[in-house]
Amino acid sequence: MAKKREEREMGMFLDGIIESMPLIVKELVAGGVAGGVAKTFVAPLERVKILFQTRRDEYQSIGLLGSFKKIAKTEGVAGFYRGNGASVARIVPYAALHYMAYEQYRRWIIHTFPDVGRGPVLDLVAGSFAGGTAVLFTYPLDLVRTKLAYQVVGSAKLSVQGLAQTEQVYKGILDCFSKTHKDAGLRGLYRGVAPSLYGIFPYAGLKFYFYEEMKRHVPKEHKNNILVKLACGSIAGLLGQTFTYPLDVARRQMQVQRFIASNSAEAKGTMETLVKIVESQGWKQLFSGLSINYLKVVPSVAIGFTVYDLIKAYLKVPSRDEAVVEVVTNKRNIQPPSSLRS
């Protein structure tokens, strides 16, 4: 009896905390959890994809399975998660901002432009601006993640055997931040941000567009089905990524240019980098690692959207239309009566 009473009291306590949380905080929490879970799930594929994009000769030639075997042999299991600490440290605030900003932009557009329809175009615009906002706030963490993942580090024993050559430049997240800022200042921490923004605007917008559009065609009795949410998220991520992938390749190569540009002139912009990749490595390099990205994006976006919806339901976040009414009502209640204003 005492145990049941304690569980009931704990449940009431948690319900009280949830009820007292502002809507924006609930959306931040749901987005952060969704991003962290999804990113950790696909971390090994993300590591191989980055090596495909930036170490073409070493890894692309041996294929996906060969790359997995090489990493396992030279770096062990930990090698699959190299740079994942920085990745999760980036994705949690990024996803939190991304999802929250999407909801906020969507509500703001509806409130400011009431004649705008609540269809897929609204999701496209809100998702695009939300993606850009999240990138600007968290880009330095993405840069650090890429630099750490780019490093191929082998143990002293493996190096002696000739299986891997140690070339560790950065010892960790803080060391990478410090050295990058020391070498190139704040501008160095935002190197490659232009293609990120070019890519995230259409990608984030299309991702939300496809996800919400597909959910609209799902019968009402199946809307809360987890498998349906996973399927909608998978297709949304797949389509969005295909259209914007070359910009992701350009961004990665700009981020590690310090290491790979020793024998050639340094590309200064996104278009110049894209042209240089085509001229020196062929147009197929613009889609290098895309097959791996498909394997990564399908579960990542699917898990992200699904976990986000589940956490929102647990935190008792109202539906989007109800949230718009709630926000507008709160604003009206805060405003003083017209007689007092006059």
Side-chain angles (χ1 to χ4, degrees), residues 274-330:
L274 288 169
V275 171
K276 194 172 182 180
I277 291 171
V278 173
E279 289 178 347
S280 61
Q281 304 172 46
W283 67 269
K284 289 184 179 180
Q285 180 63 17
L286 293 176
F287 295 92
S288 174
L290 182 57
S291 58
I292 300 175
N293 221 45
Y294 282 152
L295 295 175
K296 185 198 78 165
V297 164
V298 168
S300 179
V301 177
I303 291 170
F305 274 126
T306 303
V307 172
Y308 179 64
D309 283 345
L310 291 175
I311 298 296
K312 281 204 307 177
Y314 175 77
L315 295 177
K316 300 176 183 177
V317 175
S319 68
R320 290 193 173 97
D321 289 338
E322 291 173 346
V324 170
V325 173
E326 180 181 318
V327 170
V328 172
T329 302
N330 289 339

Side-chain angles (χ1 to χ4, degrees), residues 247-258:
L247 290 167
D248 188 49
V249 175
R251 171 170 60 105
R252 297 298 183 198
Q253 293 213 6
M254 288 177 75
Q255 288 175 335
V256 299
Q257 203 167 56
R258 174 191 170 193

Side-chain angles (χ1 to χ4, degrees), residues 3-124:
K3 186 177 181 181
K4 288 184 177 180
R5 187 170 66 252
E6 288 179 3
E7 290 177 354
R8 188 162 56 252
E9 289 176 352
M10 178 60 69
M12 293 174 64
F13 175 71
L14 291 175
D15 287 341
I17 293 177
I18 291 172
E19 290 293 336
S20 65
M21 289 171 65
L23 179 61
I24 192 172
V25 174
K26 292 180 180 180
E27 290 167 351
L28 282 168
V29 171
V33 172
V37 171
K39 181 59 70 175
T40 301
F41 187 86
V42 299
L45 286 167
E46 178 71 14
R47 175 82 201 284
V48 174
K49 187 199 80 169
I50 290 175
L51 291 174
F52 262 46
Q53 291 177 328
T54 57
R55 291 179 176 272
R56 183 183 178 219
D57 295 334
E58 295 176 60
Y59 287 89
Q60 198 177 56
S61 59
I62 60 177
L64 178 60
L65 291 178
S67 296
F68 270 102
K69 290 178 181 178
K70 183 173 181 178
I71 293 171
K73 196 172 187 180
T74 58
E75 303 180 64
V77 176
F80 292 109
Y81 292 89
R82 188 170 303 285
N84 190 53
S87 183
V88 171
R90 178 194 73 93
I91 202 62
V92 169
Y94 172 82
L97 282 169
H98 193 178
Y99 285 107
M100 181 276 294
Y102 163 74
E103 305 285 4
Q104 293 294 317
Y105 280 126
R106 192 177 185 278
R107 285 195 287 268
W108 178 81
I109 292 171
I110 291 173
H111 179 63
T112 308
F113 307 100
D115 294 332
V116 174
R118 302 188 186 186
V121 175
L122 174 62
D123 297 313
L124 179 68

Side-chain angles (χ1 to χ4, degrees), residues 265-278:
E266 184 175 308
K268 295 181 179 179
T270 306
M271 289 306 300
E272 188 177 341
T273 301
L274 288 169
V275 171
K276 194 172 182 180
I277 291 171
V278 173

